[in-house]
Amino acid sequence: MELERFDEYFKKNREKHLQELFEFLSIPSISSLSEHKRDIERAAHWLKRQLEQLNIENVSIDPTGGHPVVYGEWLHAEGKPTVLFYGHYDVQPVDPLELWESEPFKPEIRENKLYARGASDDKGQVFMQLKAVEALFDVLGSLPVNVKFLYEGEEEIGSPHLPSYIEKNKEKLSADFILITDTSMHGPGKPAICYGLRGLAGIQIDVQGANSDLHSGLYGGGVQNAVHALVEILASFRDSEGNILVEGFYDDVKPLTDEERKAFAELEFDEEALKKELGVDELFGEPGYSFLERTWARPTLEINGIFGGFSGEGIKTVLPGKAGAKITCRLVPDQEPDKIVALLRKHIEKHTPKGVTVTVIEFDSGAPYLTPFDHPLIQTASKSYEKVYRTPTAFTRGGGSIPIVAAFDQMLKVPVVLMGFGLTTENFHAPNEHFHLENFDKGLRVLCDYLFEVSKLSLDKQVK
């Protein structure tokens, strides 16, 4: 595709597009605060109007058990792939307000950066999807692919109602792949495709000894200490090098391929600089793996918090009757959260000392996600990035979890392409959130090229 035609289009319409984006960013669509319910509705209607102006069909605002989703479709590219665009129009709260250098819902451009809540996460990147489709219509006269749009208003509160919406609307949402622009690049001028995410399994361990705290002089040495019992359980989870000792924990772990390890190494991640930044003498983790491999593609078991006994000023000679800890495991393909929790329960039962009872409470969970490294949709995205940025694309995995991605994978059973244009330094979820307009400009061209190139892919099983 000749990018020059799109370059001319976006230059000509840049100010108009920015003014439209300003309108979108001016809506305080904070999903976690009930006083902004009307603003959530305003943002949904704003998106609906945008889609209608693009001549997208069957545009609707669909209710859920919480905030609504916005849907639309255009399906006239016969024999071509169908892409489902996903994004979210809700944003995080703005506290602490006094740390903002400009008002969070009055967008402002400074040094070619657009400052506003939602500028990077995710309104700015949702807007880019719309304007890429607009450009394809205006420059080519039609779209090279079929498109569907699904925008939700609850991503920042964990997408509690979207999975049930997807489950009820599988046929309506059916596509050849899902395109999400809500991830980060590898660095300034360094495009990246995130092709995998870790999953999550979380539990709380509650240890009960005596029915109350006891005087350690009267009972110490004769009654089990709940904190000691908890520490014994926790110490049994890992060895001194970070290997997880829960029986069966690693059984389903999908190993890294040689190609993936090579790609990670080529990123030349500076572990020495990281140690200096964090103020530690050494990094820690499974032997035989780099920091990126450990944090992107290996599973973890971490203690997130411990409680029990006396922690106030001074000392209190108490023998605690209760203690507890919160544990989370980051999971990798092909680990299943329910199976991991079952293994943790079995391990805890096996290592519970005498004199206490243990209760396990389950918390958040989410499956890991992986698109094959060499998938045509991933490789095509890489080439589109490289055409515009004129530098090789990094292939990364995310150490964190985006549960809705796994839900898309499990329910719709199609690849998910995570193709973002933000930077990790852009303060999303923090004061002074911003979006580098250089990536806004280049990203629009990347998306146009990608959709055009995807139209050349055949709809065989390999692509699906």
Side-chain angles (χ1 to χ4, degrees):
M1 185 181 71
E2 294 181 6
L3 283 171
E4 291 81 4
R5 297 167 66 190
F6 290 89
D7 191 54
E8 181 182 344
Y9 178 84
F10 287 123
K11 285 181 179 177
K12 178 182 177 182
N13 290 279
R14 190 175 192 264
E15 290 307 313
K16 172 178 171 290
H17 289 165
L18 286 176
Q19 287 305 311
E20 291 174 350
L21 179 54
F22 277 27
E23 290 178 13
F24 193 23
L25 293 171
S26 297
I27 304 171
S29 49
I30 303 171
S31 53
S32 61
L33 301 178
S34 59
E35 60 262 35
H36 288 283
K37 187 174 185 297
R38 283 184 175 270
D39 296 314
I40 284 282
E41 293 171 354
R42 284 174 56 206
H45 281 278
W46 189 94
L47 280 171
K48 181 175 183 287
R49 288 193 300 272
Q50 284 284 316
L51 291 171
E52 290 170 341
Q53 289 169 12
L54 289 175
N55 293 319
I56 301 301
E57 299 167 350
N58 299 318
V59 180
S60 61
I61 296 177
D62 297 342
T64 69
H67 301 316
V69 302
V70 181
Y71 176 83
E73 63 186 26
W74 185 92
L75 306 175
H76 301 292
E78 187 175 349
K80 298 297 183 180
T82 298
V83 53
L84 173 62
F85 288 104
Y86 164 82
H88 63 94
Y89 61 87
D90 65 319
V91 298
Q92 284 277 337
V94 298
D95 310 271
L97 188 60
E98 65 272 13
L99 296 183
W100 285 79
E101 295 177 11
S102 55
E103 294 188 39
F105 296 109
K106 288 188 177 180
E108 183 176 300
I109 295 175
R110 303 193 299 271
E111 298 178 345
N112 207 32
K113 301 172 191 175
L114 174 55
Y115 285 81
R117 173 59 89 226
S120 180
D121 180 24
D122 177 39
K123 286 182 175 179
Q125 300 201 62
V126 162
F127 184 79
M128 290 169 66
Q129 295 177 358
L130 300 174
K131 295 301 116 174
V133 169
E134 176 188 281
L136 288 165
F137 266 129
D138 288 357
V139 173
L140 301 181
S142 187
L143 296 184
V145 293
N146 300 293
V147 295
K148 295 182 179 181
F149 300 86
L150 178 65
Y151 296 133
E152 69 158 319
E154 296 187 325
E155 195 273 346
E156 298 293 7
I157 54 174
S159 304
H161 298 98
L162 192 58
S164 60
Y165 177 86
I166 297 170
E167 184 67 37
K168 293 174 185 176
N169 293 277
K170 286 182 180 179
E171 185 174 350
K172 177 179 178 178
L173 299 174
S174 63
D176 292 293
F177 73 103
I178 299 161
L179 181 59
I180 299 177
T181 53
D182 190 16
T183 51
S184 299
M185 307 213 315
H186 188 56
K190 297 178 180 179
I193 296 172
C194 179
Y195 68 96
L197 297 165
R198 292 197 289 190
L200 180 69
I203 63 170
Q204 178 173 312
I205 305 170
D206 289 326
V207 177
Q208 178 70 59
N211 56 15
S212 68
D213 289 351
L214 303 174
H215 190 293
S216 66
L218 297 177
Y219 295 95
V223 177
Q224 180 65 275
N225 181 315
V227 172
H228 277 291
L230 174 66
V231 169
E232 187 174 334
I233 295 169
L234 298 179
S236 72
F237 281 129
R238 298 194 326 196
D239 67 16
S240 61
E241 292 187 309
N243 296 297
I244 297 166
L245 303 178
V246 176
E247 187 175 351
F249 190 89
Y250 292 107
D251 285 358
D252 298 325
V253 171
K254 187 171 185 176
L256 281 161
T257 65
D258 291 340
E259 291 79 10
E260 287 176 302
R261 300 194 80 169
K262 181 175 181 290
F264 289 3
E266 289 174 350
L267 295 177
E268 298 181 348
F269 182 79
D270 191 340
E271 295 192 1
E272 291 300 319
L274 178 64
K275 286 191 286 187
K276 185 176 181 180
E277 177 186 342
L278 299 179
V280 297
D281 294 330
E282 293 293 337
L283 299 177
F284 175 81
E286 278 186 281
Y289 296 96
S290 69
F291 177 82
L292 291 184
E293 290 169 345
R294 291 171 185 159
T295 56
W296 287 355
R298 296 298 295 172
T300 68
L301 188 156
E302 299 289 352
I303 302 167
N304 307 123
I306 299 176
F307 46 93
F310 177 72
S311 58
E313 185 178 356
I315 192 167
K316 182 181 181 182
T317 54
V318 65
L319 192 156
K322 292 181 180 181
K326 296 181 186 292
I327 306 286
T328 52
C329 298
R330 295 291 177 175
L331 309 179
V332 299
D334 297 305
Q335 291 180 303
E336 298 177 5
D338 290 345
K339 182 176 179 180
I340 292 300
V341 169
L343 293 175
L344 294 176
R345 285 182 177 275
K346 185 176 179 181
H347 180 91
I348 292 166
E349 182 179 350
K350 180 180 177 180
H351 291 84
T352 297
K354 295 178 181 179
V356 296
T357 57
V358 174
T359 303
V360 175
I361 302 171
E362 297 180 24
F363 286 129
D364 294 347
S365 69
Y369 175 75
L370 185 70
T371 297
F373 182 71
D374 59 353
H375 196 289
L377 288 166
I378 297 294
Q379 293 301 318
T380 300
S382 168
K383 292 173 184 175
S384 291
Y385 269 125
E386 290 172 6
K387 283 182 189 176
V388 176
Y389 281 87
R390 300 186 183 280
T391 189
T393 302
F395 294 94
T396 69
R397 291 203 201 180
S401 306
I402 307 178
I404 200 60
V405 172
F408 278 130
D409 178 43
Q410 293 167 349
M411 296 180 191
L412 300 184
K413 302 187 184 306
V414 296
V416 180
V417 178
L418 298 165
M419 198 175 177
F421 301 94
L423 294 175
T424 57
T425 57
E426 289 178 335
N427 288 24
F428 35 83
H429 294 204
N432 301 308
E433 179 179 351
H434 57 278
F435 191 24
H436 285 70
L437 291 179
E438 176 188 4
N439 292 325
F440 174 78
D441 295 330
K442 289 183 175 179
L444 288 166
R445 292 149 176 84
V446 172
L447 289 173
C448 287
D449 186 80
Y450 181 55
L451 294 174
F452 184 82
E453 294 300 324
V454 162
S455 71
K456 301 176 184 177
L457 297 177
S458 59
L459 293 174
D460 56 25
K461 292 182 180 179
Q462 184 185 28
V463 173
K464 291 183 180 179

